[in-house]
């Protein structure tokens, strides 16, 4: 049974309990084989934070791995999946909690391989600080730059450049300085305003938990010293109160509460509030929690609000201070981290989930994006929603895109801003396409079903529908049948409907491209 801590030596500071310790969430990231898992393992080991059974497992794993000279395999403390241990790489995000005498920490060890970039972005989404590792032998690599850009996009402003494996570079000061200079040039180009560089060796323990005697030329703190002292992200004191409604709580006949986590600001009983998007106004009657009523609630607290009036408010709505500036928008400029093998298709309908709100959305303008790509897109929403730029609020500016057919998460998005300058800069919702079908007419219905699954309105325009409704008088006049079909197709298209013209109607080249439905259904994706 795990009960004993790896005891600190008499002259070392061991962990202590203190109710006022601050919490720091950080990630380790960078290119593959830069030593992220080893660094975290060494940090836990040197900080005397391992239980006896963890030490025994570490020694057993190290023996199985055949480490030369009986060296400890610190990465095994973090890499928990069998595949990770077998391959010697990190695949999934591994979270570890630890605390020292000064602070509490949650660290996320993220993968370095390019195919797992989406895992890294997931781990970074909740972090306050990023430790970006660089192998001193190899310097700045493409994945180092990619992870740094993602960290910056996700709003992490505190970055540690951990130049690792200095033992393999002879603890050379010039090599460290050259890597720092290379990263500084990249950081200036990427908009990264500041970073702290620390030379270290995760395997040997140099500058991890304590300062290294083998790099006397370095005068800064060890990694742990820096993590213990760095200020956390200060709360935005001037932010107005905002609470996305997660659940309407009907605990009794006379109880209607609106539950959620306060996204920003503070609220007191009696304060005036508005409901978005409706704009209805009321006041706060009670602030209820599991432990009883509160007089005041602040950012980060889960609460249930009871309002003075019976008004329409449901999941996905937002309760805000009456004077809060919270724009209702129908389109946003957003940075996307694409997480799916299926590429982004402009015009296709997706689900966009922002906080507790889910709406239909499509990309009107977008860079070509495939798996692990990062780019900018203009996103159109099916109705006005309250949102803020990500730089002001992670909760109200971060979203995900979801495939409407499979419910798979396709991308993580950060609201960069909103169109401005008047109607001439706003994008109109794209009209429906007109597509002439070739091949098997019976498969037109399959295309229609695929469109419907993607949330796109479509209509199969065939000979039977025209002759029954609008062309019963044309007889054998194929030209007139084609003319009337073209007119109907254009009208439906202007209304936003995708029109599938069946092969049994006369060909009219002016109506649009031809799609051969004899091809496999997967080749139809370009129409949706």
């Amino acid at each position: 049974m795990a009960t004993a801590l790896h005891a600190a030596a008499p002259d070392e500071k061991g962990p202590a309990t203190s109710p006022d310790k601050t919490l720091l969430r950080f990630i380790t990231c960078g290119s593959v084989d830069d030593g992220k898992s080893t660094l975290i393992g060494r940090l836990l080991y040197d900080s005397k934070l391992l239980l006896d059974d963890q030490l025994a497992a570490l020694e057993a794993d190290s023996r199985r791995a055949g480490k030369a000279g009986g060296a400890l395999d610190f990465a095994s403390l973090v890499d928990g999946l069998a595949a990770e241990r077998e391959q010697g790489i990190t695949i999934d995000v591994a979270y570890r909690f630890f605390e020292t005498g000064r602070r509490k920490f949650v660290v996320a060890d993220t993968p370095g391989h390019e195919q797992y970039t989406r895992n890294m972005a997931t781990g970074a989404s909740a972090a306050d600080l990023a430790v970006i590792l660089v192998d001193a032998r190899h310097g700045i690599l493409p994945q180092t730059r990619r992870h740094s850009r993602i960290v910056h996009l996700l709003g992490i402003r505190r970055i540690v450049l951990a130049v690792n494996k200095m033992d393999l570079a002879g603890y050379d000061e010039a090599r460290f300085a050259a890597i720092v200079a290379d990263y500084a040039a990249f950081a200036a180009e990427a908009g990264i305003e500041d970073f702290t560089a620390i030379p270290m060796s995760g395997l040997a323990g140099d500058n991890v938990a304590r300062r290294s005697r083998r790099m006397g030329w370095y005068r800064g703190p060890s990694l742990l010293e820096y993590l213990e002292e760095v200020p956390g992200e200060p709360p935005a004191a001037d932010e107005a109160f905002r609470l996305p409604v997660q659940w309407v709580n009907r605990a009794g006949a006379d109880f209607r509460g609106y539950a959620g986590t306060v996204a920003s600001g503070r609220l007191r009983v009696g304060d005036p509030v508005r409901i978005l998007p409706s704009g209805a106004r009321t006041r706060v009657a009670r602030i209820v929690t599991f432990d009883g009523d509160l007089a005041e609630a602040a950012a980060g607290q889960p609460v249930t609000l009871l309002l003075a009036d019976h008004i329409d408010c449901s999941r996905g709505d937002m309760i805000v201070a009456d004077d809060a500036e919270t724009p209702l928008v129908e389109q946003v400029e957003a940075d996307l981290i694409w997480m799916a093998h299926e590429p982004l298709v402009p015009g296709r309908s997706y689900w966009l989930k922002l906080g507790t709100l889910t709406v239909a959305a499509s990309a009107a303008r977008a860079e070509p994006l495939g798996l692990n790509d990062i780019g900018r897109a203009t996103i159109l929403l099916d109705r006005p929603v309250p949102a803020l730029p990500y730089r002001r609020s992670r909760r109200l500016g971060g979203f995900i895109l979801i495939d409407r057919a499979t419910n798979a998460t396709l991308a993580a998005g950060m609201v960069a801003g909103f169109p401005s300058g008047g109607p001439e800069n706003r994008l109109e919702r794209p009209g429906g396409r007109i597509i002439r079908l070739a091949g098997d007419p019976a498969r037109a219905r399959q295309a229609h079903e695929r469109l419907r699954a993607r949330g796109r309105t479509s209509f199969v325009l065939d000979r039977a529908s025209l002759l029954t409704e609008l062309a019963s008088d044309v007889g054998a006049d194929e030209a007139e049948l084609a003319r009337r079909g073209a007119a109907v197709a254009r009208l439906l298209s202007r209304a936003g409907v995708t029109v599938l013209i069946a092969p049994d109607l006369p060909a009219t080249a002016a109506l649009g491209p031809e799609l051969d439905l004899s091809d496999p259904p997967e080749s139809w994706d370009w129409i949706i």
Side-chain angles (χ1 to χ4, degrees):
M1 183 174 178
T3 55
L5 280 169
H6 177 30
D11 60 339
E12 292 178 328
K13 177 186 62 180
T17 58
S18 174
D20 58 353
K21 287 183 186 178
T22 58
L23 175 67
L24 182 72
R25 296 179 176 89
F26 70 97
I27 64 165
T28 58
C29 53
S31 192
V32 65
D33 290 333
D34 281 347
K36 296 176 289 297
S37 300
T38 298
L39 174 65
I40 295 176
R42 168 61 81 170
L43 187 62
L44 297 174
Y45 181 82
D46 282 358
S47 300
K48 314 300 181 185
L49 299 171
L50 299 180
L51 301 173
D52 286 344
D53 62 344
Q54 291 175 311
L55 281 173
L58 171 62
E59 293 167 356
D61 286 339
S62 301
R63 286 194 297 271
R64 281 194 294 269
K67 292 293 183 179
L72 296 177
D73 180 16
F74 294 110
S76 67
L77 289 171
V78 183
D79 289 335
L81 300 178
E84 294 178 326
R85 298 185 184 213
E86 291 169 2
Q87 299 180 58
I89 64 172
T90 299
I91 297 173
D92 203 358
V93 182
Y95 294 92
R96 290 292 181 269
F97 172 85
F98 68 98
E99 92 178 86
T100 66
R102 299 183 181 180
R103 202 170 209 170
K104 299 176 182 179
F105 302 93
V106 177
V107 55
D109 181 31
T110 64
H113 278 266
E114 182 176 352
Q115 65 262 40
Y116 303 123
T117 299
R118 53 189 169 181
N119 301 47
M120 175 268 164
T122 300
S125 62
D128 306 310
L129 179 146
V131 178
I132 299 177
L133 275 80
V134 176
D135 189 322
R137 300 167 300 172
H138 304 144
I140 309 301
L141 298 176
Q143 193 70 339
T144 313
R145 297 185 180 92
R146 181 190 297 269
H147 282 188
S148 297
R149 291 185 186 277
I150 291 174
V151 160
H152 183 64
L153 280 176
L154 289 171
I156 299 175
R157 296 295 176 256
R158 302 193 188 281
I159 295 176
V160 174
L161 180 68
V163 183
N164 195 29
K165 303 189 180 183
M166 286 295 295
D167 53 320
L168 302 181
Y171 299 104
D172 183 23
E173 180 182 7
R175 180 57 182 158
F176 172 72
I179 292 174
V180 173
D182 286 348
Y183 190 82
F186 157 74
E189 180 269 329
I192 297 172
E193 297 178 358
D194 191 25
F195 66 92
T196 298
I198 302 177
M200 64 183 64
S201 168
L203 186 63
D206 297 283
N207 284 334
V208 178
R210 58 186 62 86
R211 301 184 195 187
S212 171
R213 298 178 180 177
R214 288 175 282 203
M215 288 182 280
W217 44 266
Y218 172 71
R219 304 297 184 186
S222 68
L223 176 62
L224 184 59
E225 288 173 336
Y226 177 83
L227 294 176
E228 286 182 324
E229 298 294 337
V230 65
E233 288 293 328
D238 60 342
E239 277 285 1
F241 172 81
R242 300 179 182 90
L243 179 140
V245 177
Q246 182 176 1
W247 177 47
V248 179
N249 183 355
R250 297 301 306 272
D254 298 322
F255 187 101
R256 182 188 294 270
Y258 303 96
T261 300
V262 180
S264 64
R266 308 183 75 86
L267 182 76
R268 295 174 179 83
V269 172
D271 283 354
V273 293
R274 281 183 297 138
I275 311 300
L276 297 179
S278 71
R281 285 180 163 84
T282 184
R283 290 183 177 273
V284 177
R286 292 174 60 190
I287 302 174
V288 180
T289 70
F290 180 80
D291 296 319
D293 283 20
L294 301 177
E296 180 180 85
Q301 284 185 280
V303 296
T304 297
L305 302 184
L306 274 68
L307 305 178
D309 304 291
H310 292 291
I311 58 177
D312 184 15
C313 183
S314 58
R315 174 179 168 84
D317 289 347
M318 188 179 297
I319 303 175
V320 303
D322 190 51
D323 59 351
E325 178 192 353
T326 308
L328 295 174
V329 298
E330 291 186 85
Q331 52 186 294
V332 300
E333 296 292 328
D335 295 306
L336 297 179
I337 303 172
W338 200 255
M339 299 180 170
H341 292 280
E342 176 186 356
L344 172 67
V345 179
R348 175 179 293 178
S349 182
Y350 302 102
W351 289 123
L352 183 146
K353 183 173 176 58
L354 192 159
T356 61
L357 180 68
T358 301
V359 296
S362 61
R365 276 196 304 240
E367 302 173 16
L369 294 180
L371 179 63
N372 296 322
D373 286 342
I374 305 169
R376 177 68 61 90
T378 300
I379 307 294
L380 303 182
L381 310 175
D382 72 343
R383 56 191 170 94
V385 302
L388 291 175
Y390 188 82
R391 65 181 178 276
R392 286 185 58 186
S393 173
R394 286 190 181 186
R395 289 180 180 269
L396 305 180
F399 63 88
I400 58 174
L401 287 181
I402 302 170
D403 188 296
R404 294 182 64 144
T406 66
N407 287 324
T409 299
L410 302 177
M414 289 72 66
V415 175
F418 313 111
S420 60
E424 67 276 8
N425 289 332
R426 296 182 61 83
L427 293 178
E428 294 298 327
R429 217 166 279 281
R433 301 182 183 183
I434 301 174
I435 301 164
R436 294 183 297 116
L437 305 180
D440 183 0
R443 301 185 78 180
R445 292 294 167 186
Q446 291 180 263
H448 171 69
E449 291 301 323
R450 287 175 67 83
L451 283 164
R452 188 170 67 173
R454 299 288 185 178
R456 298 295 298 274
T457 303
S458 65
F459 182 79
V460 177
L461 187 62
D462 57 12
R463 178 180 291 267
S465 61
L466 270 181
L467 290 176
T468 301
E469 301 292 340
L470 296 173
S472 58
D473 60 334
V474 301
D477 190 346
E478 293 292 293
E480 178 61 15
L481 187 64
R483 188 191 71 79
R484 295 191 190 187
V488 171
R490 291 191 185 98
L491 287 173
L492 289 172
S493 174
R494 289 170 191 163
V497 177
T498 297
V499 183
L500 304 173
I501 299 180
D504 60 2
L505 280 179
T508 307
L511 283 180
E514 183 175 82
L515 177 67
D516 187 354
L517 291 189
S518 62
D519 293 335
E522 290 75 15
S523 67
W524 307 346
D525 279 347
W526 66 273
I527 74 173
I528 47 181

